[in-house]
Structures are given as structure tokens and as C-alpha cells.
Amino acid sequence: MPSQTDLPQSHDFQYISDLAASMIVDLVTSKPDACIALPTGHTPIAMYASLVRLSRERQTDWSSVLCFALDDYLDAPASATFEAFLAQHILDPLQIPDANRFSPVRIDGYDSLIEASGGLDLTILGIGLNGHIAFNEPGTPAASYTHCVWLTESTRLANRDAFATLDEVPHTGITMGIATIQASRKILLLAQGEKKKAIVEQAFKGPITAQVPASLLQNHSDLHLMCDFWVR
Ligand code: GLP
């Protein structure tokens, strides 16, 4: 079981987002050339806003941090890509140099590049309602590296908001694999809202199974589960 960071009884997701942002700023302060893997989705938006605010307050230098997108679509218009999302919410506000922004869509040998960069110091994750992490859908083996995927209907529906119609939601993506993520020295998994409670409990209190990809992280030695509900 990962550590569930001690929270006050009145915790809310802003508190959790601030806490995550503070852990990230501490990492960048202690290691200015840290390698960090970044998620998309609704969940990290408040954390990114908090990270930008805190970095400005503390004058954190992000100029040498290497930022790796966890995943992206392969068949989305440019404005709907995760690259665009990350640029808007975090990379542009923190003025991350173009040379330090990496996406699996643009790079052959993503895992080799990560390894050559010293390995991921931190991976920040959300979780899908079907237990996916990044775009690792149910059934993805633990020994998977960066690979292309067909998205499930559950994942397409979860990402529906960014598109005019469900038909426009992409069917294919590329993602870091489970082994890529497992190799990260630290992992923060954020989950918001009661609708994520059942899958989080299944992933972290249930059996380790590729059918619930997040459960494959149970044995990671530095996994922090940060959510606005209690996992029993
Ligand atoms: C997408 C992303 C995942 C993310 C998930 C959950 O599928 N590829 O990395 O964890 O959405 O998103 P949300 O935070 O909107 O629930």
C-alpha cells in the first residue's frame, strides 16, 4: 500500500493540489535539472496553477528541468493535443525552454532518451475510471515501454470535453509504458472526487493485475497517493 499523505479532516482538492505543487517545487529546488513526467486531464489543472504560483513566489528556476509528456493522441488536431494542453497549463507559464519539452509523438526511442537523461525523478499521474495510467489501458503488461495504443471507449468518453463531438475524440495514442513509469524514482498519483474512489480502492487495495493498470504500481517504493477521499 502506498503512503496516503496525512491530510486534515477538512481536506479538499485545492489543499492536495497545493501539497503536490509544494513537493514538486522542493524537488526542482534540490535538483534543478530534474526529469519530470507530466500528465493531462482535469485532475492536474489545479496543481499546475498552484505550481506556477508557488514557483513565482519562490522564484524557482525551471530553466534546466526536463519535462516529458506522459502520453498524447496520434490523431488529434494540434489544438487538442496534450502537447498544447501542457504548453498552456504548465510549460509556457513556467517558461520551459523548447529544448527541454519532450513528447513521445515527436521522439523515437523515448525510453532511451529518458534513460540517457538520468531517468525520471518524478512522475505525476492521474487515473482513468478503468484504472488506466497515462494511456496504458487494461491489459497492458507490466513490462511495457513507450508504445502506441487504441483508446478504449471509457477513455474516449473521459476526454470528450476537449472535442466538439464524441466522433472527433481520437482513437489512437502513444504513451509511456508501465515499466517506463515504474522506473521513476518517485510517483505522485492524484485522484479527485468520489467517482474515482472505487477504482482507486480497486487499484491499491485489490490484487495486482494488468486488468487494473494502476495496481501494477502497488509495489513501487516511493508512490504517493493523493486524493480528496479516504481509501479504506
Ligand atoms: C487521460 C490521460 C490520463 C489521465 C486521464 C484521467 O486519459 N491520458 O493521463 O490520467 O485522462 O483524466 P481526468 O483527470 O480528466 O480524470
Side-chain angles (χ1 to χ4, degrees), residues 42-69:
H42 300 90
T43 310
I45 290 177
M47 183 270 291
Y48 285 147
S50 180
L51 190 53
V52 171
R53 197 171 53 243
L54 194 61
S55 297
R56 286 183 183 147
E57 274 168 31
R58 295 207 204 156
Q59 299 189 314
T60 312
D61 179 7
W62 280 79
S63 62
S64 302
V65 175
L66 304 184
C67 296
F68 293 87

PDB file of all heavy atoms in Angstrom, residues 42-69:
ATOM      1  N   HIS A  42      -8.380  16.538 -16.353  1.00  0.00           N
ATOM      2  CA  HIS A  42      -8.939  17.594 -15.493  1.00  0.00           C
ATOM      3  C   HIS A  42      -8.188  17.660 -14.168  1.00  0.00           C
ATOM      4  O   HIS A  42      -7.994  18.721 -13.596  1.00  0.00           O
ATOM      5  CB  HIS A  42     -10.414  17.322 -15.190  1.00  0.00           C
ATOM      6  CG  HIS A  42     -11.276  17.256 -16.418  1.00  0.00           C
ATOM      7  ND1 HIS A  42     -11.511  16.099 -17.110  1.00  0.00           N
ATOM      8  CD2 HIS A  42     -11.926  18.225 -17.082  1.00  0.00           C
ATOM      9  CE1 HIS A  42     -12.288  16.344 -18.145  1.00  0.00           C
ATOM     10  NE2 HIS A  42     -12.552  17.633 -18.157  1.00  0.00           N
ATOM     11  N   THR A  43      -7.776  16.502 -13.673  1.00  0.00           N
ATOM     12  CA  THR A  43      -7.232  16.400 -12.319  1.00  0.00           C
ATOM     13  C   THR A  43      -6.038  17.312 -12.060  1.00  0.00           C
ATOM     14  O   THR A  43      -6.000  17.960 -11.017  1.00  0.00           O
ATOM     15  CB  THR A  43      -6.864  14.931 -12.021  1.00  0.00           C
ATOM     16  OG1 THR A  43      -7.979  14.114 -12.368  1.00  0.00           O
ATOM     17  CG2 THR A  43      -6.488  14.732 -10.570  1.00  0.00           C
ATOM     18  N   PRO A  44      -5.026  17.372 -12.937  1.00  0.00           N
ATOM     19  CA  PRO A  44      -3.827  18.148 -12.572  1.00  0.00           C
ATOM     20  C   PRO A  44      -3.947  19.657 -12.787  1.00  0.00           C
ATOM     21  O   PRO A  44      -3.005  20.382 -12.460  1.00  0.00           O
ATOM     22  CB  PRO A  44      -2.743  17.561 -13.496  1.00  0.00           C
ATOM     23  CG  PRO A  44      -3.469  17.046 -14.680  1.00  0.00           C
ATOM     24  CD  PRO A  44      -4.835  16.638 -14.200  1.00  0.00           C
ATOM     25  N   ILE A  45      -5.082  20.136 -13.290  1.00  0.00           N
ATOM     26  CA  ILE A  45      -5.148  21.566 -13.656  1.00  0.00           C
ATOM     27  C   ILE A  45      -4.917  22.465 -12.438  1.00  0.00           C
ATOM     28  O   ILE A  45      -4.126  23.421 -12.494  1.00  0.00           O
ATOM     29  CB  ILE A  45      -6.496  21.871 -14.366  1.00  0.00           C
ATOM     30  CG1 ILE A  45      -6.480  21.210 -15.753  1.00  0.00           C
ATOM     31  CG2 ILE A  45      -6.717  23.378 -14.498  1.00  0.00           C
ATOM     32  CD1 ILE A  45      -7.775  21.359 -16.538  1.00  0.00           C
ATOM     33  N   ALA A  46      -5.582  22.163 -11.318  1.00  0.00           N
ATOM     34  CA  ALA A  46      -5.401  22.999 -10.112  1.00  0.00           C
ATOM     35  C   ALA A  46      -3.964  22.892  -9.602  1.00  0.00           C
ATOM     36  O   ALA A  46      -3.377  23.878  -9.137  1.00  0.00           O
ATOM     37  CB  ALA A  46      -6.378  22.573  -9.020  1.00  0.00           C
ATOM     38  N   MET A  47      -3.380  21.704  -9.705  1.00  0.00           N
ATOM     39  CA  MET A  47      -1.991  21.509  -9.255  1.00  0.00           C
ATOM     40  C   MET A  47      -1.039  22.333 -10.126  1.00  0.00           C
ATOM     41  O   MET A  47      -0.100  22.955  -9.622  1.00  0.00           O
ATOM     42  CB  MET A  47      -1.655  20.021  -9.301  1.00  0.00           C
ATOM     43  CG  MET A  47      -0.296  19.641  -8.804  1.00  0.00           C
ATOM     44  SD  MET A  47       0.903  19.658 -10.119  1.00  0.00           S
ATOM     45  CE  MET A  47       0.389  18.269 -11.100  1.00  0.00           C
ATOM     46  N   TYR A  48      -1.299  22.346 -11.443  1.00  0.00           N
ATOM     47  CA  TYR A  48      -0.434  23.151 -12.311  1.00  0.00           C
ATOM     48  C   TYR A  48      -0.554  24.641 -11.970  1.00  0.00           C
ATOM     49  O   TYR A  48       0.452  25.357 -11.915  1.00  0.00           O
ATOM     50  CB  TYR A  48      -0.802  22.920 -13.787  1.00  0.00           C
ATOM     51  CG  TYR A  48      -0.334  21.588 -14.343  1.00  0.00           C
ATOM     52  CD1 TYR A  48      -1.060  20.906 -15.314  1.00  0.00           C
ATOM     53  CD2 TYR A  48       0.861  21.012 -13.913  1.00  0.00           C
ATOM     54  CE1 TYR A  48      -0.627  19.688 -15.828  1.00  0.00           C
ATOM     55  CE2 TYR A  48       1.298  19.798 -14.422  1.00  0.00           C
ATOM     56  CZ  TYR A  48       0.557  19.138 -15.381  1.00  0.00           C
ATOM     57  OH  TYR A  48       0.991  17.942 -15.879  1.00  0.00           O
ATOM     58  N   ALA A  49      -1.771  25.123 -11.723  1.00  0.00           N
ATOM     59  CA  ALA A  49      -1.955  26.549 -11.368  1.00  0.00           C
ATOM     60  C   ALA A  49      -1.199  26.857 -10.077  1.00  0.00           C
ATOM     61  O   ALA A  49      -0.521  27.892  -9.957  1.00  0.00           O
ATOM     62  CB  ALA A  49      -3.438  26.856 -11.212  1.00  0.00           C
ATOM     63  N   SER A  50      -1.285  25.930  -9.133  1.00  0.00           N
ATOM     64  CA  SER A  50      -0.607  26.108  -7.861  1.00  0.00           C
ATOM     65  C   SER A  50       0.914  26.088  -8.043  1.00  0.00           C
ATOM     66  O   SER A  50       1.655  26.865  -7.427  1.00  0.00           O
ATOM     67  CB  SER A  50      -1.084  24.984  -6.943  1.00  0.00           C
ATOM     68  OG  SER A  50      -0.493  25.062  -5.727  1.00  0.00           O
ATOM     69  N   LEU A  51       1.367  25.219  -8.931  1.00  0.00           N
ATOM     70  CA  LEU A  51       2.801  25.086  -9.203  1.00  0.00           C
ATOM     71  C   LEU A  51       3.362  26.377  -9.818  1.00  0.00           C
ATOM     72  O   LEU A  51       4.456  26.831  -9.463  1.00  0.00           O
ATOM     73  CB  LEU A  51       3.000  23.901 -10.155  1.00  0.00           C
ATOM     74  CG  LEU A  51       4.397  23.391 -10.420  1.00  0.00           C
ATOM     75  CD1 LEU A  51       5.135  23.085  -9.139  1.00  0.00           C
ATOM     76  CD2 LEU A  51       4.311  22.129 -11.294  1.00  0.00           C
ATOM     77  N   VAL A  52       2.594  26.964 -10.725  1.00  0.00           N
ATOM     78  CA  VAL A  52       3.032  28.215 -11.351  1.00  0.00           C
ATOM     79  C   VAL A  52       3.097  29.323 -10.289  1.00  0.00           C
ATOM     80  O   VAL A  52       4.086  30.054 -10.188  1.00  0.00           O
ATOM     81  CB  VAL A  52       2.067  28.600 -12.511  1.00  0.00           C
ATOM     82  CG1 VAL A  52       2.381  30.006 -13.029  1.00  0.00           C
ATOM     83  CG2 VAL A  52       2.151  27.562 -13.629  1.00  0.00           C
ATOM     84  N   ARG A  53       2.059  29.385  -9.460  1.00  0.00           N
ATOM     85  CA  ARG A  53       2.001  30.424  -8.415  1.00  0.00           C
ATOM     86  C   ARG A  53       3.161  30.267  -7.423  1.00  0.00           C
ATOM     87  O   ARG A  53       3.906  31.204  -7.158  1.00  0.00           O
ATOM     88  CB  ARG A  53       0.649  30.288  -7.684  1.00  0.00           C
ATOM     89  CG  ARG A  53       0.245  31.486  -6.871  1.00  0.00           C
ATOM     90  CD  ARG A  53      -1.186  31.357  -6.359  1.00  0.00           C
ATOM     91  NE  ARG A  53      -1.433  30.109  -5.650  1.00  0.00           N
ATOM     92  CZ  ARG A  53      -2.299  29.180  -6.058  1.00  0.00           C
ATOM     93  NH1 ARG A  53      -2.998  29.344  -7.157  1.00  0.00           N
ATOM     94  NH2 ARG A  53      -2.469  28.066  -5.351  1.00  0.00           N
ATOM     95  N   LEU A  54       3.338  29.050  -6.955  1.00  0.00           N
ATOM     96  CA  LEU A  54       4.376  28.782  -5.959  1.00  0.00           C
ATOM     97  C   LEU A  54       5.774  29.012  -6.539  1.00  0.00           C
ATOM     98  O   LEU A  54       6.672  29.539  -5.868  1.00  0.00           O
ATOM     99  CB  LEU A  54       4.230  27.329  -5.478  1.00  0.00           C
ATOM    100  CG  LEU A  54       4.970  26.938  -4.225  1.00  0.00           C
ATOM    101  CD1 LEU A  54       4.494  27.759  -3.030  1.00  0.00           C
ATOM    102  CD2 LEU A  54       4.734  25.438  -3.938  1.00  0.00           C
ATOM    103  N   SER A  55       5.968  28.624  -7.796  1.00  0.00           N
ATOM    104  CA  SER A  55       7.276  28.804  -8.434  1.00  0.00           C
ATOM    105  C   SER A  55       7.603  30.287  -8.554  1.00  0.00           C
ATOM    106  O   SER A  55       8.759  30.692  -8.397  1.00  0.00           O
ATOM    107  CB  SER A  55       7.290  28.158  -9.824  1.00  0.00           C
ATOM    108  OG  SER A  55       7.090  26.771  -9.714  1.00  0.00           O
ATOM    109  N   ARG A  56       6.576  31.104  -8.832  1.00  0.00           N
ATOM    110  CA  ARG A  56       6.815  32.554  -8.923  1.00  0.00           C
ATOM    111  C   ARG A  56       7.153  33.104  -7.547  1.00  0.00           C
ATOM    112  O   ARG A  56       8.094  33.879  -7.388  1.00  0.00           O
ATOM    113  CB  ARG A  56       5.604  33.264  -9.520  1.00  0.00           C
ATOM    114  CG  ARG A  56       5.519  32.993 -11.018  1.00  0.00           C
ATOM    115  CD  ARG A  56       4.370  33.718 -11.702  1.00  0.00           C
ATOM    116  NE  ARG A  56       4.350  33.335 -13.115  1.00  0.00           N
ATOM    117  CZ  ARG A  56       3.264  33.220 -13.858  1.00  0.00           C
ATOM    118  NH1 ARG A  56       2.080  33.508 -13.352  1.00  0.00           N
ATOM    119  NH2 ARG A  56       3.349  32.858 -15.116  1.00  0.00           N
ATOM    120  N   GLU A  57       6.379  32.666  -6.548  1.00  0.00           N
ATOM    121  CA  GLU A  57       6.636  33.146  -5.169  1.00  0.00           C
ATOM    122  C   GLU A  57       8.045  32.795  -4.721  1.00  0.00           C
ATOM    123  O   GLU A  57       8.745  33.595  -4.122  1.00  0.00           O
ATOM    124  CB  GLU A  57       5.659  32.474  -4.196  1.00  0.00           C
ATOM    125  CG  GLU A  57       4.325  33.180  -4.059  1.00  0.00           C
ATOM    126  CD  GLU A  57       3.315  32.295  -3.320  1.00  0.00           C
ATOM    127  OE1 GLU A  57       3.706  31.476  -2.451  1.00  0.00           O
ATOM    128  OE2 GLU A  57       2.140  32.431  -3.658  1.00  0.00           O
ATOM    129  N   ARG A  58       8.458  31.579  -5.019  1.00  0.00           N
ATOM    130  CA  ARG A  58       9.768  31.117  -4.531  1.00  0.00           C
ATOM    131  C   ARG A  58      10.879  31.337  -5.551  1.00  0.00           C
ATOM    132  O   ARG A  58      12.005  30.900  -5.337  1.00  0.00           O
ATOM    133  CB  ARG A  58       9.699  29.622  -4.199  1.00  0.00           C
ATOM    134  CG  ARG A  58       8.784  29.318  -3.055  1.00  0.00           C
ATOM    135  CD  ARG A  58       9.241  28.045  -2.369  1.00  0.00           C
ATOM    136  NE  ARG A  58       8.152  27.402  -1.666  1.00  0.00           N
ATOM    137  CZ  ARG A  58       8.095  26.108  -1.366  1.00  0.00           C
ATOM    138  NH1 ARG A  58       9.076  25.304  -1.742  1.00  0.00           N
ATOM    139  NH2 ARG A  58       7.080  25.615  -0.722  1.00  0.00           N
ATOM    140  N   GLN A  59      10.523  31.946  -6.672  1.00  0.00           N
ATOM    141  CA  GLN A  59      11.492  32.216  -7.756  1.00  0.00           C
ATOM    142  C   GLN A  59      12.258  30.934  -8.132  1.00  0.00           C
ATOM    143  O   GLN A  59      13.492  30.930  -8.251  1.00  0.00           O
ATOM    144  CB  GLN A  59      12.449  33.327  -7.347  1.00  0.00           C
ATOM    145  CG  GLN A  59      11.694  34.631  -7.061  1.00  0.00           C
ATOM    146  CD  GLN A  59      12.600  35.807  -6.861  1.00  0.00           C
ATOM    147  OE1 GLN A  59      13.596  35.712  -6.131  1.00  0.00           O
ATOM    148  NE2 GLN A  59      12.294  36.914  -7.504  1.00  0.00           N
ATOM    149  N   THR A  60      11.511  29.882  -8.306  1.00  0.00           N
ATOM    150  CA  THR A  60      12.106  28.587  -8.658  1.00  0.00           C
ATOM    151  C   THR A  60      12.595  28.632 -10.110  1.00  0.00           C
ATOM    152  O   THR A  60      11.877  29.104 -10.991  1.00  0.00           O
ATOM    153  CB  THR A  60      11.040  27.470  -8.518  1.00  0.00           C
ATOM    154  OG1 THR A  60      10.403  27.630  -7.260  1.00  0.00           O
ATOM    155  CG2 THR A  60      11.666  26.091  -8.634  1.00  0.00           C
ATOM    156  N   ASP A  61      13.795  28.156 -10.310  1.00  0.00           N
ATOM    157  CA  ASP A  61      14.388  28.171 -11.654  1.00  0.00           C
ATOM    158  C   ASP A  61      14.057  26.855 -12.364  1.00  0.00           C
ATOM    159  O   ASP A  61      14.572  25.799 -12.010  1.00  0.00           O
ATOM    160  CB  ASP A  61      15.904  28.349 -11.523  1.00  0.00           C
ATOM    161  CG  ASP A  61      16.575  28.359 -12.894  1.00  0.00           C
ATOM    162  OD1 ASP A  61      15.856  28.361 -13.920  1.00  0.00           O
ATOM    163  OD2 ASP A  61      17.828  28.357 -12.932  1.00  0.00           O
ATOM    164  N   TRP A  62      13.212  26.942 -13.376  1.00  0.00           N
ATOM    165  CA  TRP A  62      12.790  25.757 -14.126  1.00  0.00           C
ATOM    166  C   TRP A  62      13.575  25.608 -15.435  1.00  0.00           C
ATOM    167  O   TRP A  62      13.271  24.729 -16.242  1.00  0.00           O
ATOM    168  CB  TRP A  62      11.297  25.845 -14.449  1.00  0.00           C
ATOM    169  CG  TRP A  62      10.417  25.467 -13.301  1.00  0.00           C
ATOM    170  CD1 TRP A  62      10.089  26.251 -12.229  1.00  0.00           C
ATOM    171  CD2 TRP A  62       9.750  24.212 -13.107  1.00  0.00           C
ATOM    172  NE1 TRP A  62       9.265  25.549 -11.376  1.00  0.00           N
ATOM    173  CE2 TRP A  62       9.038  24.300 -11.895  1.00  0.00           C
ATOM    174  CE3 TRP A  62       9.692  23.020 -13.833  1.00  0.00           C
ATOM    175  CZ2 TRP A  62       8.270  23.237 -11.395  1.00  0.00           C
ATOM    176  CZ3 TRP A  62       8.931  21.973 -13.353  1.00  0.00           C
ATOM    177  CH2 TRP A  62       8.234  22.092 -12.132  1.00  0.00           C
ATOM    178  N   SER A  63      14.569  26.458 -15.660  1.00  0.00           N
ATOM    179  CA  SER A  63      15.176  26.512 -16.996  1.00  0.00           C
ATOM    180  C   SER A  63      15.939  25.243 -17.372  1.00  0.00           C
ATOM    181  O   SER A  63      16.173  24.982 -18.545  1.00  0.00           O
ATOM    182  CB  SER A  63      16.100  27.733 -17.112  1.00  0.00           C
ATOM    183  OG  SER A  63      17.145  27.624 -16.166  1.00  0.00           O
ATOM    184  N   SER A  64      16.333  24.431 -16.388  1.00  0.00           N
ATOM    185  CA  SER A  64      17.078  23.207 -16.713  1.00  0.00           C
ATOM    186  C   SER A  64      16.272  21.939 -16.476  1.00  0.00           C
ATOM    187  O   SER A  64      16.791  20.828 -16.638  1.00  0.00           O
ATOM    188  CB  SER A  64      18.360  23.138 -15.864  1.00  0.00           C
ATOM    189  OG  SER A  64      19.148  24.277 -16.088  1.00  0.00           O
ATOM    190  N   VAL A  65      15.008  22.097 -16.061  1.00  0.00           N
ATOM    191  CA  VAL A  65      14.179  20.907 -15.802  1.00  0.00           C
ATOM    192  C   VAL A  65      13.760  20.292 -17.139  1.00  0.00           C
ATOM    193  O   VAL A  65      13.382  21.009 -18.072  1.00  0.00           O
ATOM    194  CB  VAL A  65      12.930  21.295 -14.975  1.00  0.00           C
ATOM    195  CG1 VAL A  65      12.008  20.101 -14.796  1.00  0.00           C
ATOM    196  CG2 VAL A  65      13.354  21.867 -13.630  1.00  0.00           C
ATOM    197  N   LEU A  66      13.851  18.961 -17.221  1.00  0.00           N
ATOM    198  CA  LEU A  66      13.436  18.262 -18.440  1.00  0.00           C
ATOM    199  C   LEU A  66      12.013  17.741 -18.234  1.00  0.00           C
ATOM    200  O   LEU A  66      11.758  16.990 -17.287  1.00  0.00           O
ATOM    201  CB  LEU A  66      14.394  17.105 -18.748  1.00  0.00           C
ATOM    202  CG  LEU A  66      15.876  17.500 -18.876  1.00  0.00           C
ATOM    203  CD1 LEU A  66      16.714  16.284 -19.268  1.00  0.00           C
ATOM    204  CD2 LEU A  66      16.069  18.625 -19.896  1.00  0.00           C
ATOM    205  N   CYS A  67      11.106  18.163 -19.108  1.00  0.00           N
ATOM    206  CA  CYS A  67       9.687  17.839 -18.957  1.00  0.00           C
ATOM    207  C   CYS A  67       9.244  16.850 -20.025  1.00  0.00           C
ATOM    208  O   CYS A  67       9.294  17.156 -21.227  1.00  0.00           O
ATOM    209  CB  CYS A  67       8.852  19.108 -19.061  1.00  0.00           C
ATOM    210  SG  CYS A  67       9.179  20.270 -17.725  1.00  0.00           S
ATOM    211  N   PHE A  68       8.801  15.692 -19.595  1.00  0.00           N
ATOM    212  CA  PHE A  68       8.385  14.623 -20.512  1.00  0.00           C
ATOM    213  C   PHE A  68       6.869  14.439 -20.427  1.00  0.00           C
ATOM    214  O   PHE A  68       6.349  14.127 -19.348  1.00  0.00           O
ATOM    215  CB  PHE A  68       9.070  13.299 -20.139  1.00  0.00           C
ATOM    216  CG  PHE A  68      10.553  13.315 -20.359  1.00  0.00           C
ATOM    217  CD1 PHE A  68      11.419  13.783 -19.376  1.00  0.00           C
ATOM    218  CD2 PHE A  68      11.095  12.850 -21.543  1.00  0.00           C
ATOM    219  CE1 PHE A  68      12.791  13.809 -19.572  1.00  0.00           C
ATOM    220  CE2 PHE A  68      12.468  12.861 -21.754  1.00  0.00           C
ATOM    221  CZ  PHE A  68      13.321  13.344 -20.764  1.00  0.00           C
ATOM    222  N   ALA A  69       6.179  14.633 -21.547  1.00  0.00           N
ATOM    223  CA  ALA A  69       4.744  14.315 -21.571  1.00  0.00           C
ATOM    224  C   ALA A  69       4.577  12.813 -21.386  1.00  0.00           C
ATOM    225  O   ALA A  69       5.337  12.021 -21.948  1.00  0.00           O
ATOM    226  CB  ALA A  69       4.134  14.743 -22.900  1.00  0.00           C
TER     227      ALA A  69
END
